[in-house]
Amino acid sequence: MNTKIIAIAALGTAGMLASVQALAHHSFAAEFDADKKLEMTGVVTKVEWTNPHTYFFIEVEGKDGHEEWAFEMGSPNGLMRRGWTKDTLEIGTEVLVTGTQARDGSHKANAQAVIITEGCKRLFAGTSQRDFVEDENAKVEGCKP
Amino acid sequence: MFARFLMFLACLGFSATLLAQTGHPAKGSWSGNLQPASGQSARIRLLIDDNNGELSGKVNPGRNGIEMSKVELDSATWGLTIHATTPEGELVLTGTLSNLGSWSNRKYIGTFTQGSAKGNFEITLN
């Protein structure tokens, strides 16, 4: 009897802990529209190194004043393999981001590449969009070398 | 044995909550507007850090960020005062932190002086 209770309790706890990450994991197509391409320049206001996705937030000048946009990237591990470090995006850094917008039209997007405008450093964002090709030789545009 | 096991599970469950309870209330990246008594509002960003209760930070962090010369928090009233020397003159923000329980809508609201300009500000934790 005791063994059964322990097993049920352990399973329940494991399920609760796993649910936090499961909620954050989703397919690209379920949340983002590959046809809603966007490119914008803004200032980094927050970075969250979380699994399964890293997020950063930028402030951009929109039609009605300042807007905040959230960009989803790959996992911290995947980003580090692409040359990212925890200090790559410091608060206040101006970046140019390319990506695709959320299907619901909110200020949320999936980032493909991030260009740090000062110095033109480009880093790929580990997008989960399967047909996106990380072309290291593609010209970096829209920055100040 | 069973009771110990249950306590272990409970500790595991609470650990996630505990992780979220860290940090100084003023620490973080803030964005908002300075609204002078006359004239257009100006965007302002703050980056505040905490080193064992000692606060420091930058105004408009980035390439042209300006180091804060003094950051003082009165924990009895949550009054926060920030000084920084900007090209437009000495900037002094005097305000109060509110909505401290919120991670998404914590506010720093008050009045400012910058050189000869005076006005109000409202800044939100990013």
Side-chain angles (χ1 to χ4, degrees), chain B residues 45-74:
Chain B
R45 286 187 296 277
L46 306 174
L47 181 61
I48 302 175
D49 200 8
D50 160 51
N51 186 14
N52 293 324
E54 200 71 24
L55 296 173
S56 60
K58 277 188 173 179
V59 175
N60 294 331
R63 203 183 315 170
N64 301 315
I66 295 161
E67 209 74 43
M68 294 172 184
S69 52
K70 194 157 75 175
V71 188
E72 287 175 332
L73 178 74
D74 177 355

mmCIF file of all heavy atoms in Angstrom, chain B residues 45-74:
data_model
loop_
_atom_site.group_PDB
_atom_site.id
_atom_site.type_symbol
_atom_site.label_atom_id
_atom_site.label_comp_id
_atom_site.label_asym_id
_atom_site.label_seq_id
_atom_site.Cartn_x
_atom_site.Cartn_y
_atom_site.Cartn_z
ATOM 1 N N ARG B 45 15.738 55.208 -19.554
ATOM 2 C CA ARG B 45 15.921 53.812 -19.132
ATOM 3 C C ARG B 45 16.918 53.801 -17.981
ATOM 4 O O ARG B 45 17.885 54.569 -17.987
ATOM 5 C CB ARG B 45 16.429 52.955 -20.288
ATOM 6 C CG ARG B 45 15.374 52.646 -21.322
ATOM 7 C CD ARG B 45 15.893 51.666 -22.352
ATOM 8 N NE ARG B 45 17.002 52.235 -23.104
ATOM 9 C CZ ARG B 45 16.869 53.039 -24.152
ATOM 10 N NH1 ARG B 45 15.666 53.346 -24.585
ATOM 11 N NH2 ARG B 45 17.915 53.533 -24.763
ATOM 12 N N LEU B 46 16.682 52.921 -17.029
ATOM 13 C CA LEU B 46 17.595 52.800 -15.891
ATOM 14 C C LEU B 46 18.024 51.346 -15.758
ATOM 15 O O LEU B 46 17.227 50.434 -16.004
ATOM 16 C CB LEU B 46 16.886 53.210 -14.584
ATOM 17 C CG LEU B 46 16.206 54.582 -14.533
ATOM 18 C CD1 LEU B 46 15.441 54.729 -13.217
ATOM 19 C CD2 LEU B 46 17.234 55.694 -14.675
ATOM 20 N N LEU B 47 19.249 51.155 -15.381
ATOM 21 C CA LEU B 47 19.732 49.808 -15.072
ATOM 22 C C LEU B 47 20.327 49.885 -13.672
ATOM 23 O O LEU B 47 21.339 50.560 -13.457
ATOM 24 C CB LEU B 47 20.784 49.354 -16.094
ATOM 25 C CG LEU B 47 21.346 47.956 -15.880
ATOM 26 C CD1 LEU B 47 20.235 46.903 -15.961
ATOM 27 C CD2 LEU B 47 22.420 47.639 -16.915
ATOM 28 N N ILE B 48 19.653 49.228 -12.733
ATOM 29 C CA ILE B 48 20.074 49.324 -11.327
ATOM 30 C C ILE B 48 20.582 47.967 -10.853
ATOM 31 O O ILE B 48 19.963 46.927 -11.109
ATOM 32 C CB ILE B 48 18.904 49.809 -10.436
ATOM 33 C CG1 ILE B 48 18.412 51.172 -10.931
ATOM 34 C CG2 ILE B 48 19.323 49.885 -8.978
ATOM 35 C CD1 ILE B 48 17.191 51.705 -10.203
ATOM 36 N N ASP B 49 21.716 48.003 -10.173
ATOM 37 C CA ASP B 49 22.296 46.771 -9.651
ATOM 38 C C ASP B 49 22.417 46.877 -8.136
ATOM 39 O O ASP B 49 22.459 47.976 -7.589
ATOM 40 C CB ASP B 49 23.677 46.540 -10.290
ATOM 41 C CG ASP B 49 24.091 45.084 -10.175
ATOM 42 O OD1 ASP B 49 23.253 44.253 -9.756
ATOM 43 O OD2 ASP B 49 25.246 44.776 -10.487
ATOM 44 N N ASP B 50 22.451 45.720 -7.501
ATOM 45 C CA ASP B 50 22.538 45.680 -6.045
ATOM 46 C C ASP B 50 23.736 44.836 -5.640
ATOM 47 O O ASP B 50 23.897 43.715 -6.115
ATOM 48 C CB ASP B 50 21.239 45.051 -5.506
ATOM 49 C CG ASP B 50 21.410 44.524 -4.101
ATOM 50 O OD1 ASP B 50 21.900 45.274 -3.259
ATOM 51 O OD2 ASP B 50 21.033 43.362 -3.855
ATOM 52 N N ASN B 51 24.590 45.409 -4.809
ATOM 53 C CA ASN B 51 25.725 44.655 -4.295
ATOM 54 C C ASN B 51 25.639 44.678 -2.771
ATOM 55 O O ASN B 51 26.068 45.631 -2.136
ATOM 56 C CB ASN B 51 27.031 45.294 -4.811
ATOM 57 C CG ASN B 51 28.235 44.473 -4.437
ATOM 58 O OD1 ASN B 51 28.105 43.318 -4.026
ATOM 59 N ND2 ASN B 51 29.412 45.069 -4.570
ATOM 60 N N ASN B 52 24.996 43.643 -2.231
ATOM 61 C CA ASN B 52 24.767 43.547 -0.773
ATOM 62 C C ASN B 52 24.100 44.798 -0.209
ATOM 63 O O ASN B 52 24.529 45.347 0.801
ATOM 64 C CB ASN B 52 26.092 43.305 -0.045
ATOM 65 C CG ASN B 52 26.653 41.938 -0.372
ATOM 66 O OD1 ASN B 52 25.899 40.974 -0.534
ATOM 67 N ND2 ASN B 52 27.964 41.844 -0.499
ATOM 68 N N GLY B 53 23.067 45.253 -0.876
ATOM 69 C CA GLY B 53 22.305 46.404 -0.398
ATOM 70 C C GLY B 53 22.836 47.738 -0.895
ATOM 71 O O GLY B 53 22.183 48.764 -0.756
ATOM 72 N N GLU B 54 24.030 47.737 -1.489
ATOM 73 C CA GLU B 54 24.637 48.949 -2.040
ATOM 74 C C GLU B 54 24.137 49.076 -3.489
ATOM 75 O O GLU B 54 24.452 48.214 -4.320
ATOM 76 C CB GLU B 54 26.147 48.776 -2.016
ATOM 77 C CG GLU B 54 26.974 50.021 -2.080
ATOM 78 C CD GLU B 54 26.933 50.866 -0.824
ATOM 79 O OE1 GLU B 54 26.648 50.336 0.261
ATOM 80 O OE2 GLU B 54 27.160 52.054 -0.980
ATOM 81 N N LEU B 55 23.381 50.128 -3.777
ATOM 82 C CA LEU B 55 22.813 50.255 -5.122
ATOM 83 C C LEU B 55 23.687 51.127 -6.019
ATOM 84 O O LEU B 55 24.287 52.102 -5.572
ATOM 85 C CB LEU B 55 21.408 50.864 -5.048
ATOM 86 C CG LEU B 55 20.359 50.024 -4.323
ATOM 87 C CD1 LEU B 55 19.062 50.807 -4.174
ATOM 88 C CD2 LEU B 55 20.095 48.717 -5.059
ATOM 89 N N SER B 56 23.748 50.748 -7.275
ATOM 90 C CA SER B 56 24.475 51.541 -8.271
ATOM 91 C C SER B 56 23.763 51.312 -9.609
ATOM 92 O O SER B 56 22.861 50.484 -9.700
ATOM 93 C CB SER B 56 25.937 51.090 -8.374
ATOM 94 O OG SER B 56 25.983 49.730 -8.758
ATOM 95 N N GLY B 57 24.179 52.038 -10.635
ATOM 96 C CA GLY B 57 23.524 51.802 -11.918
ATOM 97 C C GLY B 57 23.864 52.819 -12.975
ATOM 98 O O GLY B 57 24.762 53.645 -12.802
ATOM 99 N N LYS B 58 23.132 52.709 -14.074
ATOM 100 C CA LYS B 58 23.356 53.591 -15.211
ATOM 101 C C LYS B 58 22.033 54.177 -15.686
ATOM 102 O O LYS B 58 20.992 53.518 -15.637
ATOM 103 C CB LYS B 58 23.976 52.816 -16.367
ATOM 104 C CG LYS B 58 25.472 52.660 -16.239
ATOM 105 C CD LYS B 58 26.060 52.073 -17.500
ATOM 106 C CE LYS B 58 27.577 52.079 -17.403
ATOM 107 N NZ LYS B 58 28.221 51.507 -18.555
ATOM 108 N N VAL B 59 22.104 55.411 -16.176
ATOM 109 C CA VAL B 59 20.963 56.039 -16.831
ATOM 110 C C VAL B 59 21.171 55.843 -18.326
ATOM 111 O O VAL B 59 22.271 56.071 -18.841
ATOM 112 C CB VAL B 59 20.893 57.549 -16.494
ATOM 113 C CG1 VAL B 59 19.781 58.226 -17.277
ATOM 114 C CG2 VAL B 59 20.697 57.741 -15.000
ATOM 115 N N ASN B 60 20.148 55.409 -18.993
ATOM 116 C CA ASN B 60 20.206 55.092 -20.424
ATOM 117 C C ASN B 60 21.424 54.216 -20.762
ATOM 118 O O ASN B 60 22.317 54.635 -21.507
ATOM 119 C CB ASN B 60 20.206 56.370 -21.261
ATOM 120 C CG ASN B 60 18.905 57.112 -21.129
ATOM 121 O OD1 ASN B 60 17.860 56.510 -20.902
ATOM 122 N ND2 ASN B 60 18.941 58.429 -21.240
ATOM 123 N N PRO B 61 21.483 53.005 -20.189
ATOM 124 C CA PRO B 61 22.639 52.131 -20.417
ATOM 125 C C PRO B 61 22.840 51.883 -21.907
ATOM 126 O O PRO B 61 21.899 51.934 -22.688
ATOM 127 C CB PRO B 61 22.258 50.845 -19.686
ATOM 128 C CG PRO B 61 20.773 50.882 -19.572
ATOM 129 C CD PRO B 61 20.422 52.322 -19.463
ATOM 130 N N GLY B 62 24.061 51.620 -22.258
ATOM 131 C CA GLY B 62 24.409 51.434 -23.669
ATOM 132 C C GLY B 62 25.621 52.276 -23.979
ATOM 133 O O GLY B 62 26.369 52.680 -23.081
ATOM 134 N N ARG B 63 25.771 52.566 -25.278
ATOM 135 C CA ARG B 63 26.964 53.285 -25.734
ATOM 136 C C ARG B 63 27.180 54.607 -24.984
ATOM 137 O O ARG B 63 28.287 54.941 -24.618
ATOM 138 C CB ARG B 63 26.814 53.567 -27.236
ATOM 139 C CG ARG B 63 28.135 53.786 -27.932
ATOM 140 C CD ARG B 63 27.906 54.124 -29.383
ATOM 141 N NE ARG B 63 26.909 53.237 -30.000
ATOM 142 C CZ ARG B 63 26.385 53.440 -31.196
ATOM 143 N NH1 ARG B 63 26.740 54.480 -31.906
ATOM 144 N NH2 ARG B 63 25.505 52.605 -31.706
ATOM 145 N N ASN B 64 26.081 55.363 -24.770
ATOM 146 C CA ASN B 64 26.208 56.664 -24.113
ATOM 147 C C ASN B 64 25.627 56.666 -22.701
ATOM 148 O O ASN B 64 25.135 57.686 -22.224
ATOM 149 C CB ASN B 64 25.529 57.746 -24.969
ATOM 150 C CG ASN B 64 26.148 57.822 -26.356
ATOM 151 O OD1 ASN B 64 27.363 57.811 -26.494
ATOM 152 N ND2 ASN B 64 25.299 57.861 -27.380
ATOM 153 N N GLY B 65 25.666 55.517 -22.083
ATOM 154 C CA GLY B 65 25.115 55.403 -20.734
ATOM 155 C C GLY B 65 25.852 56.285 -19.736
ATOM 156 O O GLY B 65 27.044 56.548 -19.885
ATOM 157 N N ILE B 66 25.110 56.733 -18.724
ATOM 158 C CA ILE B 66 25.705 57.622 -17.713
ATOM 159 C C ILE B 66 25.621 56.945 -16.344
ATOM 160 O O ILE B 66 24.543 56.513 -15.919
ATOM 161 C CB ILE B 66 24.966 58.976 -17.688
ATOM 162 C CG1 ILE B 66 25.184 59.689 -19.028
ATOM 163 C CG2 ILE B 66 25.422 59.841 -16.534
ATOM 164 C CD1 ILE B 66 24.191 60.770 -19.311
ATOM 165 N N GLU B 67 26.750 56.872 -15.697
ATOM 166 C CA GLU B 67 26.833 56.248 -14.377
ATOM 167 C C GLU B 67 26.024 57.062 -13.356
ATOM 168 O O GLU B 67 26.092 58.298 -13.359
ATOM 169 C CB GLU B 67 28.305 56.212 -13.962
ATOM 170 C CG GLU B 67 28.672 55.080 -13.048
ATOM 171 C CD GLU B 67 28.744 53.739 -13.763
ATOM 172 O OE1 GLU B 67 29.291 53.673 -14.878
ATOM 173 O OE2 GLU B 67 28.241 52.777 -13.179
ATOM 174 N N MET B 68 25.256 56.383 -12.522
ATOM 175 C CA MET B 68 24.544 57.097 -11.449
ATOM 176 C C MET B 68 25.568 57.459 -10.377
ATOM 177 O O MET B 68 26.380 56.618 -9.980
ATOM 178 C CB MET B 68 23.473 56.187 -10.842
ATOM 179 C CG MET B 68 22.355 55.837 -11.801
ATOM 180 S SD MET B 68 21.246 54.592 -11.116
ATOM 181 C CE MET B 68 20.154 54.334 -12.525
ATOM 182 N N SER B 69 25.523 58.712 -9.922
ATOM 183 C CA SER B 69 26.506 59.117 -8.909
ATOM 184 C C SER B 69 26.028 58.751 -7.508
ATOM 185 O O SER B 69 26.832 58.553 -6.608
ATOM 186 C CB SER B 69 26.788 60.606 -9.011
ATOM 187 O OG SER B 69 25.580 61.327 -8.996
ATOM 188 N N LYS B 70 24.724 58.646 -7.319
ATOM 189 C CA LYS B 70 24.191 58.270 -6.003
ATOM 190 C C LYS B 70 22.831 57.590 -6.186
ATOM 191 O O LYS B 70 22.002 58.059 -6.957
ATOM 192 C CB LYS B 70 24.035 59.533 -5.149
ATOM 193 C CG LYS B 70 23.810 59.239 -3.685
ATOM 194 C CD LYS B 70 24.213 60.396 -2.783
ATOM 195 C CE LYS B 70 23.234 61.535 -2.822
ATOM 196 N NZ LYS B 70 23.522 62.623 -1.888
ATOM 197 N N VAL B 71 22.643 56.474 -5.482
ATOM 198 C CA VAL B 71 21.339 55.797 -5.500
ATOM 199 C C VAL B 71 21.006 55.470 -4.053
ATOM 200 O O VAL B 71 21.759 54.760 -3.378
ATOM 201 C CB VAL B 71 21.388 54.476 -6.303
ATOM 202 C CG1 VAL B 71 19.987 53.900 -6.458
ATOM 203 C CG2 VAL B 71 22.034 54.667 -7.653
ATOM 204 N N GLU B 72 19.893 56.021 -3.565
ATOM 205 C CA GLU B 72 19.538 55.806 -2.163
ATOM 206 C C GLU B 72 18.109 55.283 -2.066
ATOM 207 O O GLU B 72 17.192 55.850 -2.668
ATOM 208 C CB GLU B 72 19.629 57.124 -1.392
ATOM 209 C CG GLU B 72 21.055 57.581 -1.150
ATOM 210 C CD GLU B 72 21.118 58.952 -0.481
ATOM 211 O OE1 GLU B 72 20.177 59.749 -0.680
ATOM 212 O OE2 GLU B 72 22.108 59.198 0.215
ATOM 213 N N LEU B 73 17.956 54.227 -1.263
ATOM 214 C CA LEU B 73 16.617 53.662 -1.056
ATOM 215 C C LEU B 73 16.286 53.714 0.427
ATOM 216 O O LEU B 73 17.065 53.271 1.267
ATOM 217 C CB LEU B 73 16.570 52.210 -1.548
ATOM 218 C CG LEU B 73 15.231 51.508 -1.329
ATOM 219 C CD1 LEU B 73 14.185 52.021 -2.311
ATOM 220 C CD2 LEU B 73 15.370 49.998 -1.491
ATOM 221 N N ASP B 74 15.116 54.274 0.728
ATOM 222 C CA ASP B 74 14.618 54.256 2.103
ATOM 223 C C ASP B 74 13.639 53.088 2.188
ATOM 224 O O ASP B 74 12.515 53.174 1.695
ATOM 225 C CB ASP B 74 13.930 55.595 2.411
ATOM 226 C CG ASP B 74 13.325 55.623 3.804
ATOM 227 O OD1 ASP B 74 13.345 54.583 4.491
ATOM 228 O OD2 ASP B 74 12.835 56.691 4.204
#
